[in-house]
Amino acid sequence: MRYGYIFLVIFIFSSCTTGAKLRGQAKEIQSLNATIHDRAYNCAPKELAFAESNVEFGLYELSQGNFVKASNHLTLSERNAKKADKMSDFEECRDKQVAMQVEVTPK
């Protein structure tokens, strides 16, 4: 019986650490997604969509206490974010700023 309590305490503390670790991983992926969003939207929209959606799915699963599914979603999200980053790391993928001057005609 004593070992059962020890196992329960270890399980509770390990799940808290796992949850914190997965939340940290999700924040890193969200930061990467925000950094690459504009250029990846142009050149790797599918990978960006998978990365953004799977990090949200992972956070949802994490909030439900399902660490295995959360980890799977975050792994998939990270893989797609890195792929989108690599696919969109070209000058053509960056948004171009166009300056226009408009003259108003007097009435």
Side-chain angles (χ1 to χ4, degrees):
M1 190 64 140
R2 180 177 175 193
Y3 293 112
Y5 290 121
I6 293 172
F7 178 74
L8 180 63
V9 169
I10 291 172
F11 176 75
I12 289 172
F13 282 121
S14 69
S15 65
C16 291
T17 329
T18 302
K21 180 182 170 192
L22 290 174
R23 277 188 194 84
Q25 183 182 2
K27 287 210 180 273
E28 288 177 15
I29 296 168
Q30 286 176 324
S31 176
L32 176 60
N33 287 343
T35 304
I36 66 171
H37 183 272
D38 291 338
R39 60 186 164 91
Y41 185 82
N42 294 329
C43 292
K46 178 180 166 186
E47 290 76 10
L48 179 65
F50 281 139
E52 290 178 343
S53 60
N54 274 292
V55 77
E56 294 300 322
F57 297 151
L59 287 170
Y60 173 76
E61 292 294 348
L62 191 57
S63 73
Q64 298 299 307
N66 194 339
F67 300 123
V68 174
K69 283 187 177 181
S71 178
N72 291 341
H73 281 295
L74 293 176
T75 301
L76 186 58
S77 177
E78 186 174 16
R79 187 179 316 140
N80 278 286
K82 288 180 179 178
K83 188 175 179 183
D85 185 27
K86 185 181 260 188
M87 290 175 66
S88 65
D89 196 20
F90 301 102
E91 192 60 37
E92 304 86 46
C93 298
R94 302 185 193 287
D95 282 336
K96 308 251 186 304
Q97 297 291 328
V98 178
M100 294 178 59
Q101 184 175 358
V102 178
E103 293 182 25
V104 179
T105 57
K107 291 184 180 183

